[in-house]
Amino acid sequence: MTHEQVLFTYVGAFVDELARAGVRHVVFAPGSRSTPLAVMLARHPDIRLWLHLDERSAAFFALGMAKARREPVAVVCSSGTAAANFLPAVVEARYARVPLLLLTADRPHELRDVGAPQAIDQIHLFGSNVKWFVDAAPPEATPGMLRYARMLAARAAATALADPAGPVHLNFPFREPLMPLSPEEDAPAEGVATGITVSRAPRVPDPATVQALAKELAAARRGLIVCGPQTDPDLGPAVVGLARALGFPVLADPLSHVRCGPHVDDVVLDAYDAFLRDPALVERLAPDLVLRFGAMPTSKPVLLYLQRHPAARHIVVDGGDGWEDPALLAAEVVHASPTHLCSALTDLPLSQHWERGAGGEGRPTWLTTWQQADRAARGAIAQRLAGMDELFEGKVFAELAALLPEGSTLFAGNSMPVRDLDTFFPRSQRAIRFLANRGANGIDGVISSALGAAAASDGPLVLAIGDISFYHDMNGLLAAKLHDLSATIVLFNNDGGGIFSFLPQAAYPEHFEALFGTPHGLDFRPVADLYGAAYTRIATWDAFREAVAQGVAASGLSIVEVPTDRERNVALHREMWRAVSAALAGEVPAWA
Ligand SMILES: Cc1ncc(C[n+]2csc(CCOP(=O)(O)OP(=O)(O)O)c2C)c(N)n1
Ligand SMILES: [Mg+2]
């Protein structure tokens, strides 16, 4: 065999096994060293290649796709700083548990650390942020080495998916010449047809664990379920079934996939971020047991509330062997699939305990108190928003709740959008999916992640993003133009970092604008022109509704700019919380 035949046969076996392992989408940033991977991926009938020109955006685009599809998505690049640009997305994938495959091309061993061009140390480039790193063996086309190439692909995909999911890095040393062969020149495919199957099963809890937990839950009088960011769409129905059986309220972060969908009923609470700011209520709602699923919720008041009641028995359920307990409150960690655990518990006769035995002040009162607080808070917010003509960032999410059709995805940027989503988007039986980059909470790569999710979604996608986050990833907009993607971007333009006005830093005006507020004065309209997007800067709510409805219905990219003022935004939020407190004082009964 010629050098090229060896190279392309080896890479062909790897790519074919990648497809067999379920990798359907690969994002690709151009370069010479990655030619064998690029050519063999482009040739594979079951793989779709998505070109992106900027590696940082490419990796975030792949992350968004992998997040939305809940399957491994690969991203390919050349050697050198190209590979280094993957790092921010790798970090996010690590902490958000996203199965991302990093395929980097490298110089062969003899050209490392000897001053060769575009050669950097790519060994363990992403450090402890990846679940598995392999510096692949140089290509050979013996049957044994072709089986090795297949093993790499099968194992990389399986490792990325294994709970907790995360990124895997394969580094490929390729020796020149790298010119592709035409398919007719391919070497005979020796050993290429034999694939590897990796079986994967959720961690089904054993009956003894379920029984022991059922006993604890049945004994609790003031139990609470907290659902934070996680991606299993089946958790919603399972957790609501359990909450019903137990008479426990469910605090449902939008990113838990529990807040919206046909499973939703009145045990699902959505206004906790507002009513748990009320100190009297935080005291009154003392739990004796907390059952947590997913990551810690975005809401700071929820975290403070949980920390205020450390005596409650905290049980954290994790489907892998992760440890989601930033408040260090867990008394028990259950490593079992949350959905399976909820179903197994619900199958037991849990509710009999409290319905018959708990007495006059049993769980129904506890649940009702939470529900009343939730209703009062949501009512106060809705009332205040209804009469509001001025543009307020929080109101955008209440408007989107009414505007978004069934099957939509709402991607929320970090900083204020993800928080306002939590506070202002009410629960609903409509299937709306919420996504965000909450692994590492970066304001980078958000546009690319959202467009990756758009490329992987059937329904419409709306991205709600702040101006600095938008600026950070303007390069990401190119994906929409290159791949004819449809998305609507709601751009909150408060000319700077609005979140900092909520923080103690705001009390030091002499440095505040220069160090935290950071106004940039950018007009984003020409950016829309550059990337061929429709652009509307709205001034009224009617204009907002019209622009979003149009964006959602149209194909292509639409940007809807909502101009707001940072200081006024804080004042309006505080007014909202005061209105909630006033409503609570009138409506929630005292409960011993
Ligand atoms: C990559 C990265 N750099 C910096 C930060 C720190 N940071 C958090 S929020 C924020 C400002 C975000 O401003 P914008 O996107 O306009 O949202 P707003 O605060 O106005 O809602 C910054 C700089 C971060 N989270 N990630
Ligand atoms: Mg801003």
Side-chain angles (χ1 to χ4, degrees):
M1 270 200 231
T2 64
H3 165 82
E4 285 87 349
Q5 280 176 326
V6 169
L7 186 57
F8 284 83
T9 304
Y10 173 86
V11 174
F14 170 79
V15 166
D16 187 59
E17 193 64 29
L18 213 53
R20 287 188 77 259
V23 176
R24 291 285 166 270
H25 298 273
V26 178
V27 184
F28 157 76
S32 164
R33 190 61 48 173
S34 50
T35 299
L37 279 167
V39 168
M40 295 315 277
L41 285 162
R43 255 201 225 166
H44 201 287
D46 298 333
I47 287 179
R48 176 156 181 196
L49 262 193
W50 299 79
L51 170 69
H52 215 308
L53 300 182
D54 168 336
E55 284 80 7
R56 182 165 73 162
S57 293
F60 274 113
F61 187 86
L63 172 100
M65 277 191 128
K67 204 172 251 201
R69 295 180 64 92
R70 305 183 70 233
E71 69 184 31
V73 171
V75 56
V76 178
C77 73
S78 190
S79 63
T81 55
N85 271 283
F86 284 172
L87 181 63
V90 174
V91 172
E92 174 61 23
R94 154 80 172 79
Y95 290 98
R97 304 184 171 192
V98 181
L100 190 63
L101 302 179
L102 298 318
L103 310 179
T104 57
D106 198 355
R107 307 274 137 172
H109 293 65
E110 67 276 15
L111 290 181
R112 294 179 183 173
D113 198 22
V114 290
Q118 212 178 314
I120 66 166
D121 183 1
Q122 295 182 193
I123 307 305
H124 288 291
L125 184 60
F126 308 118
S128 60
N129 291 295
V130 291
K131 293 176 73 179
W132 194 42
F133 167 78
V134 177
D135 187 29
E140 282 184 40
T142 60
M145 287 306 284
L146 295 181
R147 281 201 299 277
Y148 166 79
R150 285 186 180 273
M151 177 280 289
L152 282 184
R155 191 168 166 194
T159 304
L161 265 179
D163 219 336
V168 164
H169 177 198
L170 304 182
N171 189 55
F172 288 91
F174 292 137
R175 206 168 275 143
E176 291 177 20
L178 302 163
M179 281 312 292
L181 298 171
S182 64
E184 305 82 65
E185 293 173 283
D186 276 355
E190 263 169 279
V192 169
T194 52
I196 304 161
T197 304
V198 186
S199 303
R200 208 165 57 88
R203 289 196 190 184
V204 177
D206 63 279
T209 304
V210 178
Q211 281 293 346
L213 200 54
K215 240 173 119 178
E216 281 191 84
L217 297 176
R221 286 187 65 226
R222 299 184 309 277
L224 177 67
I225 295 176
V226 178
C227 295
Q230 67 89 43
T231 56
D232 182 359
D234 297 331
L235 180 65
V239 86
V240 167
L242 178 63
R244 280 249 143 271
L246 288 166
F248 287 8
V250 180
L251 308 190
D253 187 296
L255 303 172
S256 68
H257 290 69
V258 174
R259 188 178 290 192
C260 289
H263 61 272
V264 165
D265 69 17
D266 64 1
V267 294
V268 175
L269 307 187
D270 59 25
Y272 50 80
D273 181 77
F275 70 75
L276 290 178
R277 288 172 196 270
D278 185 277
L281 205 56
V282 165
E283 293 309 312
R284 239 193 296 165
L285 292 173
D288 60 1
L289 184 145
V290 177
L291 184 60
R292 276 194 39 231
F293 300 100
M296 187 55 98
T298 306
S299 166
K300 185 87 177 274
V302 167
L303 176 71
L304 295 175
Y305 161 78
L306 294 175
Q307 285 176 323
R308 174 66 194 86
H309 299 292
R313 184 164 178 82
H314 273 75
I315 304 171
V316 177
V317 182
D318 194 305
D321 49 7
W323 201 272
E324 299 279 16
D325 185 29
L328 304 177
L329 288 167
E332 190 174 341
V333 175
V334 183
H335 282 152
S337 149
T339 303
H340 285 80
L341 184 68
C342 287
S343 304
L345 285 165
T346 311
D347 286 344
L348 300 175
L350 293 165
S351 59
Q352 291 175 5
H353 291 267
W354 60 272
E355 274 174 359
R356 287 193 275 125
E361 282 207 333
R363 289 199 204 151
T365 318
W366 163 254
L367 175 59
T368 308
T369 308
W370 279 90
Q371 288 170 326
Q372 280 172 331
D374 201 65
R375 216 173 303 126
R378 181 59 62 212
I381 291 172
Q383 194 181 14
R384 179 74 188 83
L385 291 180
M388 187 183 280
D389 289 333
E390 72 177 296
L391 297 180
F392 168 50
E393 295 181 15
K395 180 162 171 163
V396 161
F397 292 94
E399 292 291 330
L400 288 176
L403 279 168
L404 292 184
E406 178 91 17
S408 303
T409 300
L410 177 53
F411 202 109
N414 283 319
S415 206
M416 287 312 287
V418 73
R419 293 177 170 81
D420 283 336
L421 165 68
D422 190 10
T423 312
F424 294 101
F425 201 109
R427 72 169 184 232
S428 142
Q429 290 196 322
R430 226 170 330 139
I432 309 243
R433 176 172 62 167
F434 303 101
L435 297 174
N437 284 350
R438 292 306 284 173
N441 304 353
I443 58 163
D444 48 346
V446 175
I447 290 176
S448 299
S449 305
L451 290 178
S457 304
D458 295 328
L461 182 132
V462 172
L463 164 64
I465 187 171
D467 50 296
I468 295 186
S469 311
F470 182 88
Y471 163 75
H472 220 295
D473 194 23
M474 291 193 306
N475 274 7
L477 294 168
L478 181 63
K481 189 178 162 79
L482 286 179
H483 303 297
D484 283 330
L485 301 175
S486 295
T488 304
I489 299 182
V490 175
L491 165 56
F492 297 99
N493 193 354
N494 53 26
D495 195 19
I499 194 168
F500 298 118
S501 300
F502 290 82
L503 303 183
Q505 285 86 334
Y508 300 93
E510 64 277 32
H511 290 124
F512 184 76
E513 279 299 283
L515 300 183
F516 305 102
T518 59
H520 45 74
L522 289 175
D523 173 5
F524 293 106
R525 190 182 290 271
V527 177
D529 291 342
L530 178 64
Y531 292 105
Y535 197 89
T536 319
R537 183 183 164 103
I538 58 110
T540 66
W541 289 110
D542 278 341
F544 175 80
R545 287 174 206 122
E546 198 184 316
V548 171
Q550 257 180 23
V552 165
S555 57
L557 188 63
S558 305
I559 301 173
V560 180
E561 181 186 337
V562 181
T564 61
D565 176 83
R566 284 183 268 123
E567 266 184 43
R568 181 74 186 134
N569 191 40
V570 178
L572 287 172
H573 276 86
R574 297 209 165 121
E575 215 177 274
M576 203 67 63
W577 297 327
R578 274 197 300 275
V580 167
S581 261
L584 292 171
E587 287 196 37
V588 182
W591 187 77

